[in-house]
Amino acid sequence: KCPRTFSKARYQRQSCNTAPCPMDVVCVAKMDLVVAIDASGSMGTSGWKAQREALLNLINRMQLSRTSGILLGALKFAHKVTILAQLTDDKKALIKAVTDTKFDAWTTNIGGAFRVMKTMLQFGRRDAPSVCMLWTDGRPSHPSNKYDAALGARDLRSSCRVMVVTMRPAVPKSFVEPWVSHPKSQNVMVVRDPRDMTKKVMQVNTFVCGKIQRFLDWTTTTTKAAR
């Protein structure tokens, strides 16, 4: 009988890339990335603005390219889920969509966000890995919503790598671990407060990105290519 996927007889772990990541980096991986940001009332106006600014900074630190880089899509979720941009390499359009979006200040529909993320992946590429990253500072608003979030996450994991950034002590790592892909430790990032997100952009970038390049090296390379 074949051992289970994550049984001790079959599953092993090894440390890799143990050197600390440089902080001034650009993501140059080829991937389809969908980011969901939290527009629920618990964010507060200052937390919402910091989260939106962090996403804008993250976009500016990613090499967007349909052929060899990142396609990025974005959505926000509160009671309703709103797609801000489908998967695209149009940086100007992405920045405008994120800049123009408003704070909903309503309940937390995480299950709905997971389901919409899956629909957005239909615009992805067959030759690029798919990653879905959700940022949240709140638990689902009702017990039934918690069950709905678990179902949505399970369905989404069949289509992409699922990652979560939690932004409050009230949402501990253990609470969101059932939603994310294996290995759990590499797919949950903890930030203490939404207002800290602008300081954590580089950590988020290295958290989600499989291939990074120092910003100075990247600008030198892109300048030479432009010539």
Side-chain angles (χ1 to χ4, degrees):
K1 185 179 177 181
C2 186
R4 286 177 166 271
T5 304
F6 296 103
S7 70
K8 290 182 180 179
R10 184 174 177 181
Y11 182 65
Q12 297 181 0
R13 294 187 181 189
Q14 290 184 339
S15 298
C16 63
N17 296 330
T18 54
C21 289
M23 287 293 99
D24 195 17
V25 297
V26 174
C27 180
V28 295
K30 183 174 183 178
M31 66 175 169
D32 296 335
L33 173 64
V34 179
V35 181
I37 59 173
D38 193 336
S40 63
S42 58
M43 289 292 298
T45 302
S46 59
W48 163 254
K49 288 180 178 178
Q51 181 188 209
R52 187 175 58 183
E53 183 182 344
L55 180 54
L56 290 170
N57 291 342
L58 184 66
I59 292 169
N60 280 317
R61 287 306 179 112
M62 292 194 157
Q63 181 173 282
L64 303 184
S65 169
R66 185 166 293 277
T67 55
S68 59
I70 298 167
L71 291 185
L72 197 150
L75 63 146
K76 66 174 180 177
F77 63 94
H79 177 66
K80 277 195 332 179
V81 180
T82 304
I83 295 174
L84 306 180
Q86 294 286 4
L87 286 168
T88 182
D89 60 354
D90 188 336
K91 184 173 286 189
K92 287 184 179 179
L94 269 170
I95 289 173
K96 185 178 189 312
V98 174
T99 302
D100 291 348
T101 192
K102 306 298 182 185
F103 181 33
D104 293 347
W106 204 246
T107 53
T108 311
N109 181 9
I110 291 173
F114 284 141
R115 285 190 292 275
V116 172
M117 292 169 99
K118 184 170 182 178
T119 67
M120 293 172 70
L121 293 176
Q122 67 183 304
F123 299 103
R125 298 162 292 182
R126 290 186 178 183
D127 62 343
S130 298
V131 180
C132 293
M133 179 170 57
L134 180 131
W135 300 358
T136 185
D137 86 319
R139 299 168 182 252
S141 299
H142 306 287
S144 60
N145 289 0
K146 179 182 177 182
Y147 178 70
D148 184 54
L151 286 180
R154 185 180 67 182
D155 192 33
L156 182 60
R157 287 196 301 272
S158 66
S159 301
C160 68
R161 179 182 180 183
V162 179
M163 312 177 80
V164 172
V165 178
T166 79
M167 298 181 286
R168 294 274 189 207
V171 191
K173 190 174 182 179
S174 59
F175 185 84
V176 301
E177 279 183 337
W179 301 343
V180 303
S181 300
H182 284 282
K184 307 290 187 182
S185 61
Q186 294 181 27
N187 290 303
V188 179
M189 177 176 170
V190 178
V191 176
R192 301 297 294 176
D193 190 285
R195 291 169 294 185
D196 294 337
M197 284 297 288
T198 51
K199 306 171 190 173
K200 301 290 184 179
V201 172
M202 290 301 116
Q203 287 95 323
V204 173
N205 205 356
T206 55
F207 170 61
V208 74
C209 185
K211 184 179 180 182
I212 59 173
Q213 190 172 356
R214 291 180 185 274
F215 180 70
L216 183 59
D217 296 340
W218 177 77
T219 52
T220 302
T221 303
T222 52
T223 301
K224 287 180 179 178
R227 292 173 185 170

